[in-house]
Amino acid sequence: MINVVQELTRILQAVSHADTAERQVQLIVSSIAQVMGVDVCSLFRPNDHGEMVLTASHGLARAAVGRAKLPRGAGLVGLVVQSKHPLNLPQADKHPSFHYMPETGEESFRSFCGVPLISGGRNIGVLVVQNRKQRRILESEEAFLVTLAAQLALLAVQIPVLEQSDLTASRRCTGIKGAPGIGIGKVRLSAIEQLSAIPDAPCEDSTSATQEWHRLLQTAKRDLAAEKELLGPTVVEGVGAIFDAHQTLLEDPTLVQGVENRIKAGNWLPGALREVIEKTSEMFLGLDDPYLRARHEDIVYLGNKLLAVWRGKSRKDTTLKGPLILVGAQVSVSEIASVPRKQLAGIVCFEGSALSHTAILANALGVPAVMGTGAIRALRDGEELIIDGTQGSVILHASDSVRAEFVNLLRGQRVIDAKLHMLKDEPAVTLDKVLVRLLANTGLLADIEPGLKNGAEGVGLYRTEIPFMIHDTFPTEDEQVLVYRQVLSAYAGKPVYMRTLDIGGDKPLPYLVFEEENPALGWRGIRFCLDNTSVLMTQVRAMLRADENLGNLHILLPMVSCTEELVAFWELLDNAFQQLIEEGVAVRVPPVGVMVEVPAAISMLSSWVRSTRIDFLSIGSNDLSQYLLAMDRNNARIAARYDHLHPAVLREIRRVIDLARKENLPLSLCGEMASDLAAVVLLVGMGIKTLSMSAAKLPRVKSLIRSLTFEEASQLATEVLQLDSASAIRQLIKTRLATRTEFTQFG
């Protein structure tokens, strides 16, 4: 009897190491055929026309793969698609729906069992096994195939339908929007070696290896400084802190001592480095906060960088002329720096997110970027590629008509970019003179300058977690003061809303280990801080000291759900203030506000205003939406169902707006809604006057607001609140604003 869990694990592990889509699907069908002892295993996928294409096969004619296809609804495969149910036949050719495909050589096979692959409620393929013998496969075998299909559907949805014509025809791959814009240029493939592939090996001389490690660190620091210089003073002014962050990581005891310890334990230098990098990366990767989770990419990048330096690999000089698009699993800062700015047309990363340092750098450079595409097949140095960072897509083998379309879009983009640049110092004011304040979200010092460059009127959310997560102990008060002071000084005269430490079960610290069954509902945010008052006291003291003689600090409290939490924080803040006054520090008591992200907070707002002090409110749209919908937006299985324009979310936001207006409390909103242009129209129409978003999104949101009247936004919001589905809401907004240039360009 087949061990389902064991074989499923083995197949998925094998597939995860495949480097191309073709290899992935071929491994799937070959492994299933071997495990089940069948003569044929094939995967059919629907193309854009609804035809079922033979995408991979073990047992059928190799030449038929990518060529053989069944018309929509035809054959036994079509019957499986229509019924969404397995079909198990001892003699396939006797069934009335049988459709013979001579190019596959299937006349030798009698039995047929096909099971559907369903993802997000839609059919994405059919998995078929066949045998020469005339027999109905066993119920246990069918059950195994059904179980396997349910798991493989999660993987197969990410694999493109591979038709033979794709080798020359225009093909679009979808990824994550990294940096907006259109890019057309020649491919230059990255040659970064992955540290994750380095094996363990014995260390023959730990003393020499440790000395080599310290020499390697010094060489890497010099390389980073040289790369920073190569980018030029204009760019470095905006993203120099990225290099500073990497330099800081190279000096962090967690990395330096961690590698030393593993060398002493007997692993060779590259293996010791891989162990430490993997452990640190996994810590960040396990976080719920997308901004903090993206920092794992910085750790992985730095590990690969150190490996390249250890192997003595230098930057790859290009002999390609004209615009270039850098392509690879990761694209390093050194590779970006090696291409003249005027020649760099775009960046494509098979891995990574919109919050990675590569994406941040691309935004600062004004270079379009697409992240997380997955491995793109058959790319070669020098062939032309088109990328659309605004939509998160990559076009391969573009036809003349497709290329001409993107050339026109590129020309239009340059006109729009010039217009957006001119708006930097203009207010975000509607056509009927309603002013909306636009702030930037940040957490890295590297984000500061891009926010100012794009006209941010302050910082709406400063995440304080990073210094805590890259140390191997809690950072000292003085260390925190240095970081906070840089942010407050950079935005002198403008408000900076600093969120107290949002750490806990969903954001574990390497030096504070604990486990929870449900971290999202557990020991995090203000709950964690009030249970660790010495940590919170140190942070609050650091914030107050950093604000000395500046006066732009606002303190933001995360995950507040009850009155006792507010009372306890005010007692601690008053205590910190008195301590610093007695120490001779000229501090002030800053405004304190609550993040509205726990649904319970909405019902408690009026009571809190009466029983304790609240100076302002900030709606955390990401967590509020997730908690209201009981959906994790980062869960691929339900991502298609998650939409912050769900009527329940909008109605609760409207409720908060009404409460804030009644209690005369300043109100802002941060999170993904603040940069979703469809949501921005509704938020402005409902009365939100302050929005906080990533720096890169500021110009587009400002442009949209300046093209609207408050009256039309308000009318649209009123109509939307009567609808009962997110899809209907988005369709109404799209229809109403279809002729608006700003919306169609960026929506």
Side-chain angles (χ1 to χ4, degrees):
M1 185 173 180
I2 299 172
N3 185 318
V4 175
V5 175
Q6 179 180 324
E7 294 302 335
L8 179 60
T9 301
R10 188 182 64 79
I11 291 171
L12 293 178
Q13 284 178 343
V15 169
S16 69
H17 293 296
D19 56 359
T20 65
E22 297 97 319
R23 183 67 178 148
Q24 285 183 317
V25 293
Q26 190 56 49
L27 274 171
I28 290 172
V29 296
S30 297
S31 299
I32 294 172
Q34 180 183 7
V35 171
M36 296 187 66
V38 294
D39 298 315
V40 173
C41 180
S42 304
L43 177 64
F44 289 82
R45 296 288 309 283
N47 63 15
D48 293 340
H49 307 293
E51 299 168 312
M52 297 300 293
V53 180
L54 179 62
T55 307
S57 182
H58 172 93
L60 296 182
R62 185 181 297 272
V65 174
R67 296 183 184 276
K69 60 186 73 173
L70 287 160
R72 181 194 292 268
L76 300 176
V77 169
L79 188 59
V80 173
V81 172
Q82 292 174 357
S83 67
K84 296 184 180 180
H85 190 268
L87 182 62
N88 189 353
L89 302 171
Q91 192 169 355
D93 59 359
K94 299 300 183 184
H95 193 282
S97 295
F98 179 75
H99 183 102
Y100 176 54
M101 294 190 293
E103 66 270 39
T104 65
E106 66 175 340
E107 61 272 7
S108 303
F109 308 105
R110 310 298 296 277
S111 68
F112 173 99
C113 183
V115 297
L117 272 64
I118 307 294
S119 178
R122 63 186 181 88
N123 182 281
I124 62 163
V126 174
L127 194 60
V128 174
V129 297
Q130 296 171 272
N131 277 304
R132 287 187 172 84
K133 292 183 179 179
Q134 179 178 319
R135 75 173 182 92
R136 178 185 173 93
I137 72 167
L138 301 175
E139 287 188 5
S140 59
E141 294 174 316
E142 181 182 328
F144 171 74
L145 205 58
V146 169
T147 304
L148 190 63
Q151 290 291 325
L152 292 181
L154 303 175
L155 172 66
V157 72
Q158 304 174 39
I159 300 174
V161 179
L162 305 176
E163 297 187 64
Q164 203 65 30
S165 59
D166 283 345
L167 295 174
T168 56
S170 176
R171 185 158 65 88
R172 182 186 298 264
C173 296
T174 302
I176 299 166
K177 305 170 188 177
I182 305 294
I184 303 174
K186 295 177 181 177
V187 169
R188 196 181 88 177
L189 292 172
S190 169
I192 293 180
E193 184 176 2
Q194 299 297 303
L195 180 65
S196 59
I198 295 295
D200 290 335
C203 178
E204 297 179 357
D205 186 342
S206 61
T207 301
S208 295
T210 301
Q211 293 172 348
E212 183 183 14
W213 166 232
H214 285 277
R215 289 195 298 271
L216 172 59
L217 288 169
Q218 295 307 313
T219 304
K221 290 176 185 177
R222 288 194 297 271
D223 271 17
L224 282 172
E227 291 163 9
K228 182 176 180 180
E229 187 71 23
L230 267 174
L231 285 175
T234 303
V235 174
V236 167
E237 183 183 359
V239 298
I242 292 178
F243 294 91
D244 296 340
H246 288 163
Q247 293 281 15
T248 300
L249 286 170
L250 288 174
E251 297 171 356
D252 191 278
T254 303
L255 174 66
V256 179
Q257 295 174 10
V259 173
E260 286 183 12
N261 292 338
R262 282 162 178 78
I263 289 173
K264 291 175 183 177
N267 206 351
W268 70 319
L269 173 53
L273 177 61
R274 191 209 71 244
E275 285 188 273
V276 175
I277 292 295
E278 285 182 346
K279 180 180 179 182
T280 309
S281 171
E282 286 171 3
M283 181 192 74
F284 279 92
L285 194 57
L287 305 180
D288 284 348
D289 187 306
Y291 183 89
L292 297 175
R293 188 171 57 252
R295 303 284 64 82
H296 93 279
E297 297 167 24
D298 303 330
I299 306 298
V300 172
Y301 161 77
L302 196 64
N304 292 335
K305 166 74 177 176
L306 286 164
L307 178 63
V309 174
W310 180 78
R311 291 205 185 279
K313 293 183 177 179
S314 59
R315 290 183 300 275
K316 177 181 174 184
D317 294 328
T318 177
T319 56
L320 296 171
K321 306 300 181 184
L324 292 181
I325 294 178
L326 299 178
V327 180
Q330 295 176 331
V331 175
S332 70
V333 175
S334 59
E335 288 179 296
I336 295 171
S338 71
V339 179
R341 174 61 192 89
K342 291 182 179 179
Q343 194 179 6
L344 184 57
I347 298 169
V348 176
C349 293
F350 305 152
E351 303 169 358
S353 72
L355 297 170
S356 68
H357 266 154
T358 302
I360 292 172
L361 182 54
N363 274 291
L365 291 169
V367 174
V370 179
M371 318 296 293
T373 62
I376 301 175
R377 67 192 284 255
L379 277 179
R380 296 181 297 275
D381 273 322
E383 69 176 317
E384 188 175 80
L385 200 65
I386 298 174
I387 73 170
D388 183 348
T390 305
Q391 300 298 326
S393 61
V394 179
I395 315 296
L396 295 78
H397 313 300
S399 64
D400 290 344
S401 60
V402 170
R403 190 182 190 282
E405 178 185 349
F406 275 92
V407 167
N408 288 332
L409 285 173
L410 184 56
R411 290 178 183 143
Q413 172 189 295
R414 288 169 180 157
V415 173
I416 291 168
D417 287 344
K419 174 185 175 182
L420 292 177
H421 180 71
M422 292 172 62
L423 292 178
K424 177 199 168 192
D425 298 320
E426 297 294 328
V429 59
T430 64
L431 294 173
D432 46 359
K433 306 306 179 184
V434 174
L435 184 65
V436 180
R437 186 173 60 164
L438 300 185
L439 310 178
N441 294 338
T442 182
L444 284 173
L445 296 178
D447 294 341
I448 294 175
E449 190 62 31
L452 293 169
K453 178 182 175 182
N454 287 330
E457 299 173 68
V459 174
L461 173 63
Y462 179 77
R463 304 171 177 93
T464 61
E465 288 77 41
I466 294 292
F468 287 81
M469 302 191 71
I470 63 174
H471 280 67
D472 57 355
T473 62
F474 284 108
T476 66
E477 182 176 321
D478 287 343
E479 287 173 329
Q480 292 182 60
V481 169
L482 288 174
V483 176
Y484 303 155
R485 183 74 178 183
Q486 289 185 64
V487 181
L488 293 166
S489 297
Y491 282 89
K494 300 176 180 179
V496 175
Y497 295 80
M498 284 193 171
R499 184 175 67 188
T500 56
L501 185 63
D502 190 6
I503 210 74
D506 69 323
K507 300 184 186 76
L509 297 173
Y511 43 86
L512 188 68
V513 179
F514 59 89
E515 294 183 1
E516 293 183 301
E517 291 186 6
N518 196 338
L521 303 180
W523 200 37
R524 56 169 297 196
I526 194 67
R527 304 164 189 169
F528 174 90
C529 288
L530 290 175
D531 283 349
N532 293 273
T533 50
S534 63
V535 174
L536 181 59
M537 175 62 79
T538 299
Q539 182 177 44
V540 169
R541 281 176 53 95
M543 287 180 175
L544 296 180
R545 286 176 55 196
D547 188 45
E548 186 177 7
N549 298 323
L550 288 172
N552 57 340
L553 169 68
H554 297 63
I555 295 180
L556 193 53
L557 304 180
M559 302 297 295
V560 177
S561 61
C562 64
T563 306
E564 290 81 0
E565 291 165 345
L566 277 173
V567 171
F569 178 80
W570 269 109
E571 289 176 354
L572 184 143
L573 177 59
D574 289 340
N575 189 354
F577 174 76
Q578 291 300 326
Q579 289 177 22
L580 291 170
I581 289 294
E582 292 172 7
E583 293 170 19
V585 184
V587 295
R588 69 180 184 107
V589 177
V592 176
V594 169
M595 289 200 76
V596 181
E597 49 193 348
V598 178
I602 301 174
S603 299
M604 295 299 298
L605 287 177
S606 295
S607 298
W608 289 343
V609 172
R610 290 191 297 270
S611 62
T612 187
R613 175 179 163 188
I614 300 177
D615 297 309
F616 61 90
L617 298 174
S618 177
I619 298 174
S621 65
N622 292 347
D623 272 332
L624 182 62
S625 298
Q626 289 190 120
Y627 286 130
L628 285 171
L629 300 177
M631 289 186 191
D632 177 4
R633 66 188 184 282
N634 299 308
N635 185 330
R637 299 181 185 182
I638 57 174
R641 293 184 173 91
Y642 174 88
D643 193 332
H644 46 229
L645 292 193
H646 189 289
V649 176
L650 294 177
R651 290 166 189 170
E652 288 304 296
I653 288 176
R654 181 56 181 264
R655 186 178 166 203
V656 176
I657 293 169
D658 291 342
L659 284 166
R661 185 182 295 117
K662 177 182 177 183
E663 303 296 345
N664 198 29
L665 286 174
L667 173 66
S668 65
L669 181 141
C670 63
E672 293 175 7
M673 283 188 80
S675 56
D676 177 345
L677 296 188
V680 167
V681 178
L682 302 181
L683 294 171
V684 170
M686 288 192 290
I688 295 280
K689 300 295 176 58
T690 302
L691 296 170
S692 186
M693 66 207 72
S694 64
K697 307 294 186 182
L698 287 164
R700 292 163 176 77
V701 172
K702 182 182 289 187
S703 177
L704 177 64
I705 290 171
R706 289 174 61 89
S707 74
L708 293 167
T709 67
F710 174 75
E711 184 179 351
E712 66 178 320
S714 180
Q715 177 60 38
L716 185 56
T718 300
E719 293 180 44
V720 157
L721 288 169
Q722 307 306 312
L723 300 178
D724 61 2
S725 77
S727 59
I729 289 170
R730 288 197 179 274
Q731 184 58 48
L732 176 61
I733 298 170
K734 182 178 179 180
T735 301
R736 193 65 56 82
L737 302 178
T739 59
R740 193 175 304 278
T741 303
E742 288 79 1
F743 186 78
T744 55
Q745 253 320 306
F746 307 116

